[in-house]
Amino acid sequence: MGDDVDKKLIEILSILAEANKPIGAKIIADELKKRGYDIGERAVRYHLRILDERKLTKKVGYVGRVITQKGLEELEKANISYRLGSIFSQIMEKLYLADYRNGIAVVNKSIVYGDHNEIKDTILKVLEFGLGVGDKVNIVEEKNYTRIETLCSVTFDNWLLSHGILPIPKYGGIVKFEDYEPVQFEGVINYKSTSVDPLEAFIMQRKTDVWGVIENGEGYVPANFRVIPKEAKEKFEKLLKKDTLNCILSYGEDNVLGLNVEEDEIGIALVGGLSPVAALVEKGYYVELNAASTIKKVSFMEKVNKRKIVPQKKKSGIRIKSVLSKMFNNMAKVTYDINKEDGNVIVNVGYVEKKYYDDVVEILKEAYKKGLGISDRFGIKEEDGLIKISTICASTLDGILSNYGIPIIPCYGGVLEIGEEKERFIDIISYEGSSLDPHEVFFNKVDCETSILAGFREVPMCAREDLIDLVKVLGWNGIKEIGRPNNEVYGVSVEKNMCGVVTIGGMNPLAMIKEHEIPIEIKALHEIVKFSELVKYDEI
C-alpha cells in the first residue's frame, strides 16, 4: 500500500478485521466516527471501491464487505508510523473494556501444531509451577491444532483500575531467574516505541527459557512492567491480600529488577501471560501468538492448580539502559579516517561451527555482492574452535559522520520490505525504547530476498547536502536512502526540519547465513576492530 492510501483506508481494514463478518458502509461510517474520522456513507463506499480494486476487501452480495487474506496481511504491514505505539493503545483499550471483578478478563489466544497431549502437559506444568496469570486456561483440541487461551497481564491492570489505582504499562521483556528467584530484567522494549508486541517478539526470537526455570531454577521468563502512583502504595499492598491473579514477580521504589522507577512511582513486574506458550516455542513447536486478543468470561475457562508465587521487593545491582546509550558510547570509539582508509570500526559478531567454513565464505561473498553489508569488508577467523565472523555495524557510519561534523541521530531499527514494488518499513523498534538491538529481535524475521534489516536516522535538513557529499567521499555501501526535508522515508515520518536517513543493517550478511539453515550465534554492537584487519569480499 503506497502513500496515496491514507489512515482512513487502514482504519476501514481494521474495522472489517475486527468485525469477523460482512458489514456495510453505514456501520463502517458509524465506527469511523467513534475513531475520530467524520466521513459519511458515500465517502466510505468510495474508499471501499479502492480497497476492492486492490483485492484487500471483497463484496459479499448485498450484506457488505469482508477483509481478504491479502487485506489482513496488508494491515500487519501498512503505515508503519501509524502503527508505532499502537501496542500501547491496544493495551489501554483492553484495560478499559475488561471487568475482572465481574469475571471478564483479557485473554491471549495461541494456536499450536503438534501432539495435543504433549502440548497440554507442557502448558499445565508451567501454570502449576506458578508462571502464568491467574489459574484459568483453555486447552482445546481442534481438527489440526491445539487452541490455547491464557489470561493476559492486562487483566491485572484492569483489576487495579477497578479499585481506583491507575497503572501505566511501560515495558514488555524477559526476566532472568537464578535459584528459582527473579534477579533482573535481561531485556525490555517500551510499548510506545514498537510496532510489534514485545513479548511476542522475545518469545518468537527464542529469547526465553521458561523450561529452564522449571527444571533447574535458571532461565528467562516473559514479563511486563508497569508503574502506579506512589501515593497508592498502601492501598495497593492491601489489595495484594485479595489478589487471585497472583502474577507479581517484584515491586518497589527506585529500582525494580534493574528498571529505574521515578520518585513518585511504584514499579511492578508481572509474569507474562504468554509464559506457558513460550515453553512450547522453546520445545520447537510451531506456534501462532495473538497477545491480548480478546475479552472473555473466565467462567468459560478451566481452573488449574497453580503454585502461589510470593511478590518480592527486589532491586538489582544493575540498571537497564537503552541500546541508544550503548550506540552513542560506541560511536565515540570510531576513529576511521576517510583519507587514510583505516581506523577503529564497530562490528557485529556471529559464530558458526568450523565445518561450515567454505559455505559461509561463499554466502558472505554473495551477500556483499548484493549490497547487503556495510562497506565491502568483513572478518572471518577461527576462535575457540568456532568460526568467528565480523561485519561492520551501521553505528560505524554514525561515528564517522559525527566525527566529520554531521549530527546524525539513530532512531529506529527494523525490517525493510524490498522488491519491485515500493519499498517500506513493515516493523520498527525505537533504539531509545529498547535495551536490545532491534536487529537482534528481528533477526529471524528477514529472508534477505524480500526483506532486510535496516536502520532509520535523522539529520538536520541544513546538513543534508554536506551529508550527501561526505557519503560520496566515503565510498562505502551502507546508506540506502537520504530523504527530503520534512518528508517520510519508506513510511517513517521525521521530526520538523529534519531529513530521514535509511541505513543497511550490518547484520544482514549474518542473517543470510541463517537463511541457508546454518546455525549461528549472533552478538550485535559487539566489539571494536581496525578496519585494516577486515578483508574485501572479492579478495578472499
Side-chain angles (χ1 to χ4, degrees):
M1 188 179 290
D3 295 339
D4 56 319
V5 180
D6 61 14
K7 293 180 181 179
K8 295 188 187 72
L9 295 184
I10 297 169
E11 284 293 356
I12 291 173
L13 287 177
S14 178
I15 291 167
L16 289 169
E18 292 168 11
N20 287 319
K21 63 180 181 180
I23 55 175
K26 185 180 187 308
I27 294 174
I28 294 172
D30 290 344
E31 185 60 32
L32 283 170
K33 286 180 181 177
K34 294 178 184 177
R35 302 185 183 199
Y37 298 95
D38 194 10
I39 62 175
E41 290 182 52
R42 185 173 180 181
V44 169
R45 292 191 186 95
Y46 168 76
H47 285 82
L48 286 170
R49 282 196 294 272
I50 294 174
L51 294 170
D52 286 347
E53 290 169 2
R54 300 187 180 205
K55 302 189 185 307
L56 302 177
T57 56
K58 181 174 68 174
K59 194 172 183 180
V60 182
Y62 295 103
V63 183
R65 299 299 205 292
V66 293
I67 188 169
T68 63
Q69 182 59 39
K70 184 178 179 182
L72 288 170
E73 293 171 0
E74 186 62 34
L75 192 57
E76 291 182 357
K77 299 177 178 179
N79 200 331
I80 190 66
S81 292
Y82 180 62
R83 289 192 291 119
L84 184 66
S86 61
I87 302 300
F88 178 79
S89 61
Q90 290 168 19
I91 289 173
M92 296 305 290
E93 179 183 45
K94 294 295 194 301
L95 190 162
Y96 172 74
L97 292 175
D99 185 5
Y100 185 64
R101 291 180 75 174
N102 289 304
I104 301 173
V106 184
V107 173
N108 307 305
K109 285 188 176 182
S110 303
I111 291 174
V112 187
Y113 297 87
D115 183 87
H116 172 73
N117 290 329
E118 291 180 1
I119 291 169
K120 182 176 181 178
D121 183 61
T122 299
I123 293 292
L124 291 179
K125 281 183 177 178
V126 176
L127 284 172
E128 287 166 2
F129 190 81
L131 296 179
V133 177
D135 58 0
K136 298 284 189 173
V137 67
N138 277 338
I139 308 171
V140 182
E141 185 175 14
E142 304 286 3
K143 185 176 181 181
N144 299 314
Y145 59 86
T146 297
R147 173 169 51 86
I148 299 168
E149 295 176 341
T150 59
L151 295 187
C152 175
S153 58
V154 179
T155 302
F156 182 82
D157 296 322
N158 169 264
W159 183 69
L160 289 182
L161 184 63
S162 70
H163 287 88
I165 299 175
L166 174 63
I168 303 296
K170 290 281 189 177
Y171 303 101
I174 49 175
V175 166
K176 182 179 182 179
F177 272 65
E178 292 180 355
D179 196 23
Y180 296 99
E181 291 189 355
V183 176
Q184 66 191 45
F185 273 95
E186 192 71 13
V188 294
I189 299 174
N190 190 308
Y191 290 118
K192 290 185 177 181
S193 302
T194 176
S195 64
V196 296
D197 183 275
L199 291 199
E200 288 188 25
F202 282 113
I203 292 169
M204 298 310 291
Q205 300 310 315
R206 298 179 181 271
K207 299 288 186 182
T208 67
D209 186 11
V210 174
W211 207 244
V213 176
I214 293 172
E215 290 190 323
N216 56 43
E218 296 187 359
Y220 301 91
V221 173
N224 298 285
F225 185 79
R226 56 263 297 127
V227 295
I228 62 172
K230 187 175 180 179
E231 190 66 29
K233 181 180 179 181
E234 184 179 345
K235 185 177 184 180
F236 169 72
E237 290 184 327
K238 286 181 179 179
L239 283 174
L240 292 187
K241 298 174 183 178
K242 306 175 184 178
D243 177 20
T244 60
L245 292 169
N246 188 226
C247 56
I248 300 178
L249 293 174
S250 181
Y251 73 94
E253 303 172 38
D254 184 47
N255 178 293
V256 176
L257 300 181
L259 288 177
N260 290 336
V261 180
E262 297 294 334
E263 184 178 348
D264 294 324
E265 296 175 342
I266 299 294
I268 307 170
L270 305 177
V271 176
L274 287 170
S275 294
V277 184
L280 292 172
V281 175
E282 295 162 17
K283 287 188 170 187
Y285 287 94
Y286 180 79
V287 177
E288 296 175 9
L289 297 177
N290 196 348
S293 61
T294 190
I295 306 294
K296 188 175 186 122
K297 288 185 177 181
V298 293
S299 58
F300 294 147
M301 303 178 76
E302 299 293 325
K303 185 178 176 63
V304 297
N305 293 318
K306 182 188 171 195
R307 181 176 72 92
K308 186 174 179 62
I309 57 176
V310 180
Q312 301 182 31
K313 297 179 182 179
K314 199 163 188 177
K315 296 184 179 182
S316 171
I318 68 164
R319 291 185 182 271
I320 306 298
K321 298 178 182 178
S322 73
V323 71
L324 183 61
S325 65
K326 183 177 181 180
M327 292 171 73
F328 274 138
N329 194 53
N330 279 343
M331 284 164 57
K333 298 176 183 178
V334 175
T335 61
Y336 182 84
D337 187 299
I338 293 178
N339 295 320
K340 295 179 181 179
E341 296 186 352
D342 199 12
N344 291 341
V345 296
I346 310 164
V347 293
N348 310 299
V349 171
Y351 293 94
V352 300
E353 294 181 30
K354 287 171 64 177
K355 65 181 179 180
Y356 296 114
Y357 180 86
D358 290 338
D359 291 334
V360 164
V361 168
E362 292 305 312
I363 293 167
L364 288 171
K365 290 168 74 172
E366 181 187 355
Y368 280 85
K369 189 175 181 180
K370 291 172 67 174
L372 294 180
I374 306 293
S375 86
D376 59 354
R377 299 193 183 199
F378 62 86
I380 185 165
K381 64 180 181 181
E382 184 178 339
E383 183 176 284
D384 297 328
L386 297 171
I387 299 301
K388 177 183 178 181
I389 306 141
S390 302
T391 63
I392 295 178
C393 176
S395 290
T396 297
L397 292 171
D398 301 327
I400 294 172
L401 294 174
S402 61
N403 286 343
Y404 281 84
I406 303 294
I408 186 164
I409 307 299
C411 300
Y412 307 105
V415 178
L416 184 68
E417 190 175 60
I418 58 176
E420 296 180 1
E421 297 184 8
K422 194 159 188 172
E423 298 176 332
R424 61 181 176 178
F425 278 98
I426 57 175
D427 272 315
I428 55 174
I429 296 173
S430 162
Y431 293 123
E432 189 173 16
S434 174
S435 66
L436 290 182
D437 189 303
H439 288 169
E440 287 189 68
V441 177
F442 292 129
F443 187 74
N444 292 325
K445 200 168 183 177
V446 298
D447 59 15
C448 297
E449 292 290 339
T450 62
S451 59
I452 62 171
L453 299 169
F456 188 87
R457 277 90 169 134
E458 288 185 349
V459 298
M461 67 179 187
C462 55
R464 185 175 186 271
E465 295 306 316
D466 287 340
L467 170 62
I468 292 172
D469 292 342
L470 187 58
V471 169
K472 288 179 182 176
V473 174
L474 176 61
W476 284 13
N477 182 66
I479 292 186
K480 184 169 176 57
E481 186 71 31
I482 299 174
R484 292 179 298 160
N486 299 310
N487 276 252
E488 66 177 36
V489 185
Y490 297 148
V492 179
S493 300
V494 298
E495 297 290 337
K496 182 174 173 58
N497 295 335
M498 301 291 276
C499 297
V501 179
V502 176
T503 56
I504 299 292
M507 294 178 70
N508 281 311
L510 305 180
M512 198 161 174
I513 293 172
K514 174 263 303 179
E515 280 301 294
H516 283 76
E517 299 184 353
I518 295 176
I520 183 168
E521 179 186 346
I522 58 167
K523 294 180 180 179
L525 294 162
H526 188 58
E527 59 189 30
I528 306 296
V529 302
K530 286 285 187 183
F531 183 74
S532 55
E533 295 175 6
L534 306 176
V535 294
K536 290 186 177 182
Y537 78 90
D538 55 358
E539 293 181 0
I540 193 167

